[in-house]
Amino acid sequence: MSDRRRAILEGAARVIARRGVRGLRVGELAAEAGVSTALIYYHFKDRTGILRHALAFIGDRADRYTGTAPGAGPGADTGTADADPRRLLERTLLLEFQDLPEVRENSTAWGELRAHAVFDPELREDLTAAGAAWVEEVAGLLGTLRPAAPAAAVTAAAERLTALLEGLSGRWLSGLAPLEHARELMRGAIGVEIGRLASLASQN
């Protein structure tokens, strides 16, 4: 990705997080990214193109900070997580709860895009695909932990965990829940889902 294209997408994430999708204006985005409006249209054609690529950029950035963050992170140890499926699962989910500007911005922009998709069928398709990929990733980790559990139950558990994460993230970002409390609730939910899958696996 070129530096200017990245600057535009970073600027779009900032503007969406700050003003929402309806507040995204190409002129403001150009000023935020330090480029011309003509360059934005050259790379993304129109406002819909900006939104679709911004959504993909936000998803890719989340993959980077949940998959390669240095140090232990909240509740996971990257040194042993790759050898421990549960720690890898916890790392993937709990690193969405970091009090860092990039994480706050990413989570807020994702929430704004999700809310706007209610009224925008084109964006909804891209959001649905991104959400399905996220559920599939979490289901893959749960399936590694509980390989004998029914596939449908594993997918349902992944859907519940990702939905809970989105809700808890919104509560934390808006000040309705302290950060550590949100993390503890997420850890508890992970334990419940793993236990439920273990019980289902033992019945097979």
Side-chain angles (χ1 to χ4, degrees):
M1 183 186 299
S2 70
D3 290 344
R4 287 187 172 182
R5 186 181 178 90
R6 180 178 295 279
I8 294 168
L9 292 172
E10 288 175 346
R14 285 194 298 272
V15 174
I16 292 169
R18 202 165 54 227
R19 297 186 179 276
V21 174
R22 292 186 179 184
L24 179 67
R25 302 287 183 268
V26 175
E28 182 181 355
L29 173 55
E32 183 76 30
V35 300
S36 67
T37 56
L39 186 66
I40 292 175
Y41 285 120
Y42 170 77
H43 280 293
F44 303 106
K45 308 303 181 190
D46 54 24
R47 191 169 181 275
T48 298
I50 296 168
L51 293 177
R52 295 178 75 173
H53 284 88
L55 176 64
F57 173 79
I58 288 165
D60 289 345
R61 191 162 66 172
D63 287 342
R64 288 197 300 276
Y65 65 66
T66 59
T68 60
D77 182 342
T78 58
T80 58
D82 289 339
D84 184 334
R86 176 161 181 161
R87 287 196 176 193
L88 180 55
L89 174 64
E90 289 182 347
R91 183 181 73 187
T92 299
L93 296 175
L94 292 172
L95 286 178
E96 290 283 358
F97 298 97
Q98 299 181 79
D99 196 7
L100 300 173
E102 182 181 59
V103 178
R104 283 181 166 273
E105 179 182 283
N106 230 50
S107 296
T108 303
W110 172 267
E112 293 291 342
L113 286 161
R114 190 178 68 241
H116 185 74
V118 174
F119 309 101
D120 186 339
E122 289 186 44
L123 183 59
R124 194 181 310 153
E125 290 180 13
D126 291 278
L127 192 75
T128 298
W134 191 25
V135 169
E136 185 178 358
E137 177 186 356
V138 174
L141 296 171
L142 287 167
T144 301
L145 272 166
R146 296 290 180 258
V154 171
T155 299
E159 288 184 295
R160 285 190 292 269
L161 287 175
T162 53
L164 177 63
L165 190 152
E166 288 184 345
L168 287 175
S169 179
R171 291 181 68 83
W172 158 53
L173 290 167
S174 60
L176 294 174
L179 178 57
E180 191 52 44
H181 182 59
R183 290 174 180 162
E184 287 301 323
L185 290 174
M186 196 72 234
R187 287 189 190 99
I190 292 169
V192 168
E193 294 296 350
I194 291 172
R196 180 183 287 121
L197 292 175
S199 176
L200 290 171
S202 69
Q203 297 171 18
N204 287 346

